[in-house]
Amino acid sequence: MSDNDSNEKKSPPKKESKKKKPKCPSPNTIVIHVCDESKKINKDFHCPRDLLVEEMKYFAEYLATDVKTCEEVDISVHCDVQIFDWLMRYVQRDREESSDVPQLEPTNVISILISSDFLKMDGLVQLCITYCHDHVNDIIAAPCNMNCITGDILTRISELFTISEIELVKDRKDKFKSKLYAKKIEALLEMSSVSQGLFKCASCLRLLTSVLQCKVPCTSGRITVGYNGMLMYNHYKDVCFDVSQYLIKMRQQGKSWRELYWRLWASLNYMTCSKCHHTFPLTEYYQCLSHPEEPVFKDGDDQISAAVGVYPCCRQKALRFDPLTCPKGCEKIKHRSDVACYMVNRFNTVTSGHCCSLTLLQPGIAVV
């Protein structure tokens, strides 16, 4: 045996170390594994079980009360790490050791809104919806994708907006404004006074309801006299008319959702004229038929000549007594109605500074 061999010390055999599984900080703490595929980042978040179930109701069905150890639950979430970090800080905002209360910003509110809605964080969803209403112009100007706002969230946001507020929204690229008008059209058509019996008359081409059809005159051939001697207007329902198809047709013709809203709004708001005494939709506000000159009747013993005259302006016949009281005239003027005048002035005020404001109430486009 050489000296070198005798000096060598035999090392004891190494014991294979068993890999220990990572333990949770406490039995009541849940570990959430977040995978951000776009940034290629993985991060773990810790949250007390009760707090997580209370704030994020999405996890309630996965975190049963009889589960005693965190090892029995493995939660993995595919989400933006920064957004989920914001959500976790919001969840733990009321804890004593938490001093960092996250704030909503135009650049993150949309992502937080969609994520909180998915995780069933109802309180946060309402905060985001209110923030979207109060800061809509800043959000539109921010580099964010608003196409993901659909369904119930879009409906709840639109309900906070008045038409005047929508008109003031600055949306040059039309990222969100048209969606608000589309929702307002749905609300307009779902109103009880509109949804009950909305139809289009095949004769006069007006949009009517079951209430308005008795007040609005149709063409002269659709008038009868009732048992009480009163005139009755018999509108003929167009069985082929469908509101949804009408909107699709108008969209295909290049009409914006804004134009469609104001067209429907003006078509479904009726007033009574103090000059011609007829009920009219606001789309016909500038179509009160009138003669600029008074009729001339001949004096004499002839009863027919005394009953039938003529308008000097256009040579049309004039009757002293017209039982049909149909609108007649050689020129069109504004209807005389204080309420209609107020509504049209209000319309012009709301749409001031925008194109097609007055033309939306002009009779150029028939509601067909």
Side-chain angles (χ1 to χ4, degrees), residues 39-241:
K39 299 178 182 178
K40 298 181 179 180
I41 299 175
N42 296 326
K43 186 175 180 180
D44 291 344
F45 294 87
H46 301 83
C47 183
R49 182 195 303 274
D50 297 338
L51 185 60
L52 185 64
V53 172
E54 179 183 356
E55 293 287 343
M56 297 182 175
K57 295 179 174 59
Y58 172 81
F59 295 117
E61 58 180 301
Y62 303 103
L63 300 174
T65 56
D66 57 345
V67 178
K68 298 180 180 180
T69 61
C70 64
E71 295 182 355
E72 299 180 23
V73 180
D74 184 18
I75 298 179
S76 297
V77 178
H78 294 267
C79 178
D80 185 282
V81 169
Q82 293 181 349
I83 296 300
F84 199 85
D85 178 74
W86 193 102
L87 295 174
M88 292 307 300
R89 287 188 287 121
Y90 174 84
V91 167
Q92 304 181 49
R93 65 193 180 281
D94 294 331
R95 300 182 65 184
E96 295 181 359
E97 63 272 18
S98 177
S99 59
D100 183 15
V101 179
Q103 300 295 324
L104 291 173
E105 299 176 0
T107 55
N108 65 9
V109 65
I110 300 301
S111 299
I112 293 173
L113 173 59
I114 301 304
S115 300
S116 60
D117 180 64
F118 176 79
L119 295 172
K120 299 181 181 179
M121 303 173 68
D122 299 335
L124 181 56
V125 170
Q126 186 58 46
L127 287 176
C128 292
I129 289 175
T130 303
Y131 187 91
C132 289
H133 169 263
D134 298 339
H135 303 83
V136 61
N137 287 329
D138 296 331
I139 297 173
I140 291 175
C144 60
N145 182 14
M146 305 189 72
N147 292 327
C148 53
I149 302 179
T150 57
D152 180 64
I153 294 180
L154 179 58
T155 301
R156 293 172 62 181
I157 294 176
S158 66
E159 289 174 352
L160 297 180
F161 281 89
T162 64
I163 290 299
S164 301
E165 290 175 332
I166 296 178
E167 285 287 341
L168 295 176
V169 172
K170 299 177 181 179
D171 191 1
R172 183 172 57 87
K173 296 182 179 180
D174 198 16
K175 297 169 60 177
F176 194 61
K177 195 171 184 176
S178 289
K179 290 185 177 182
L180 294 176
Y181 272 116
K183 282 296 178 181
K184 287 300 182 182
I185 290 176
E186 291 182 9
L188 182 64
L189 296 177
E190 289 175 359
M191 291 172 56
S192 59
S193 60
V194 174
S195 60
Q196 296 178 357
L198 178 65
F199 69 96
K200 188 195 77 171
C201 178
S203 299
C204 64
L205 304 180
R206 292 187 176 98
L207 284 181
L208 300 166
T209 63
S210 56
V211 177
L212 291 172
Q213 65 176 337
C214 302
K215 303 178 181 179
V216 179
C218 193
T219 56
S220 58
R222 305 292 301 177
I223 301 176
T224 58
V225 180
Y227 67 91
N228 56 357
M230 301 296 292
L231 292 178
M232 298 179 61
Y233 303 108
N234 301 316
H235 292 276
Y236 179 69
K237 293 184 179 181
D238 185 354
V239 295
C240 298
F241 175 75

Side-chain angles (χ1 to χ4, degrees), residues 14 46 170 242 313:
K14 295 182 180 180
H46 301 83
K170 299 177 181 179
D242 181 79
C313 54

Side-chain angles (χ1 to χ4, degrees), residues 295-297 307-311 316-320:
V296 177
F297 296 92
V308 180
V310 65
Y311 288 98
Q316 288 186 9
K317 291 183 179 181
L319 302 177
R320 286 188 182 273

